[in-house]
Amino acid sequence: GKDILDVQSLTDDEVHLIMETAARYERVMKSGGRLLNMDGKTLATLFYEPSTRTRLSFETAMLRLGGTVLSVADAKTSSSSKKGETIYDTGKMIEGYADVAVIRHPETGSAAELAAGSSKPVINGGDGAGQHPTQALLDLYTIIKEKGKTEGLTVCLAGDLKNGRTVHSGAALLARMGVKFIFTAPEALAMPASITEGLKKSGVEVEINPDLDSAVAKSDVLYMTRIQKERFEDPEEYERLKTSYEVTNETVKKAKKGMIIMHPLPRVTEIAVEVDAYEGAAYFRQAANGVPVRMALLALVCGCE
Ligand code: CP
């Protein structure tokens, strides 16, 4: 088995295999077929932070593959971490109870700590402001489905690029797929310099443009993100920045023809509900794509594809 802790550890061949396997599973499900690849296997989901999509889509993915699920929501208060048990020791326990585990935790590096304790595959479901690799994979899957390719596309990453783990994983993965980036953020929430400089050094085109209207005019994909309230130390700073960007029908009018709008969700105020009627509003389709992509990941890390 293989842990999925970040996107950098995945080879291009592995990424392509995940995309192909997800597409195959999606075709089987759409044609009414049943998959039993994970029959007799158990998934443990350990969530120390809130989640709707990641936990539920992993759980339904496991059930749709014929497997079973052990779920610890609110793990911070309902598991023995409340009594001081380390994540490493939790990994030692989980390996005896489950065949694969998904963890979400507020601290960067926590998924790696669980993986150090467990001999079974561990999947990072979001570690603090670090990475969210399975989100990046379902984002890639969505772009391929919606636009038919990634090569040559201009992708605008907008919102909280400092704290948003989905854009940290997403930028690293999409950079390998031939896209150009526009980074649209208030200065205080800019993409970490280490990421921007790393992309530029590897030859990826990056434009820094805090003006959303001019950014959407040349983008094939607008990837909006929520301002990450839970990562702010100063509540006043959050209040000042929380409405930095709001995509409305007026924004859509200024967009490049055929632009799709993505968002890892949940949204707060950064995309108005009126935009949901726009045919390029892909964010709910994107969330649904999490199911076949996570089915592929579970099966592949367990050798059951
Ligand atoms: N996109 C995402 O990770 O959503 P949840 O926080 O609801 O899992």
Side-chain angles (χ1 to χ4, degrees), residues 111-129:
E113 196 184 335
L114 191 79
S118 175
S119 58
K120 303 283 174 61
V122 168
I123 301 176
N124 181 0
D127 61 335

Side-chain angles (χ1 to χ4, degrees), residues 124-144:
N124 181 0
D127 61 335
Q131 286 235 359
H132 196 350
T134 69
Q135 179 74 46
L137 289 162
L138 78 88
D139 293 344
L140 173 62
Y141 187 77
T142 300
I143 293 174
I144 294 168

Side-chain angles (χ1 to χ4, degrees), residues 64-255:
R64 286 174 197 215
L65 287 166
T68 52
V69 176
L70 299 174
S71 186
V72 191
D74 289 326
K76 213 169 188 166
T77 50
S78 72
S79 79
S80 282
S81 87
K82 179 88 176 155
K83 296 181 242 169
E85 187 163 45
T86 62
I87 307 231
Y88 175 86
D89 280 3
T90 305
K92 286 274 164 225
M93 296 300 96
I94 285 295
E95 69 176 1
Y97 305 151
D99 301 287
V100 51
V102 179
I103 178 172
R104 167 167 294 185
H105 196 281
E107 279 162 40
T108 304
S110 48
E113 196 184 335
L114 191 79
S118 175
S119 58
K120 303 283 174 61
V122 168
I123 301 176
N124 181 0
D127 61 335
Q131 286 235 359
H132 196 350
T134 69
Q135 179 74 46
L137 289 162
L138 78 88
D139 293 344
L140 173 62
Y141 187 77
T142 300
I143 293 174
I144 294 168
K145 245 175 104 174
E146 298 273 336
K147 304 295 292 182
K149 61 169 190 177
T150 54
E151 193 67 42
L153 295 183
T154 298
V155 178
C156 173
L157 303 179
D160 188 348
L161 306 187
K162 178 185 174 196
N163 299 303
R165 57 194 171 203
T166 65
V167 286
H168 298 165
S169 291
L173 186 64
L174 290 173
R176 288 158 54 182
M177 303 294 155
V179 311
K180 293 180 264 186
F181 290 112
I182 303 176
F183 290 168
T184 299
E187 208 176 335
L189 300 176
M191 186 67 93
S194 58
I195 295 180
T196 307
E197 291 315 312
L199 291 172
K200 286 183 179 168
K201 255 189 210 145
S202 57
V204 179
E205 225 178 280
V206 181
E207 178 189 327
I208 311 290
N209 178 2
D211 178 54
L212 185 64
D213 286 350
S214 61
V216 295
K218 31 187 185 174
S219 295
D220 301 292
V221 177
L222 168 62
Y223 192 100
M224 280 306 296
T225 60
R226 179 176 63 87
I227 309 296
Q228 307 278 301
K229 185 179 185 181
E230 64 276 31
R231 313 271 178 241
F232 280 71
E233 278 169 21
D234 176 3
E236 278 178 25
E237 173 92 337
Y238 172 73
E239 289 302 316
R240 183 172 71 79
L241 294 167
K242 70 178 183 185
T243 51
S244 298
Y245 299 108
E246 192 187 17
V247 178
T248 64
N249 283 343
E250 283 306 304
T251 322
V252 170
K253 276 187 202 155
K254 293 169 190 146

Side-chain angles (χ1 to χ4, degrees), residues 42-48 51 53-62 68-75 78-79 90 94 98 100-104 114 123 125 298:
T42 300
L43 163 70
T45 55
L46 297 162
F47 277 64
Y48 295 78
S51 166
R53 278 146 292 274
T54 308
R55 188 164 70 82
L56 295 181
S57 64
F58 261 116
E59 293 184 1
T60 197
M62 189 62 174
T68 52
V69 176
L70 299 174
S71 186
V72 191
D74 289 326
S78 72
S79 79
T90 305
I94 285 295
V100 51
V102 179
I103 178 172
R104 167 167 294 185
L114 191 79
I123 301 176
L298 290 170

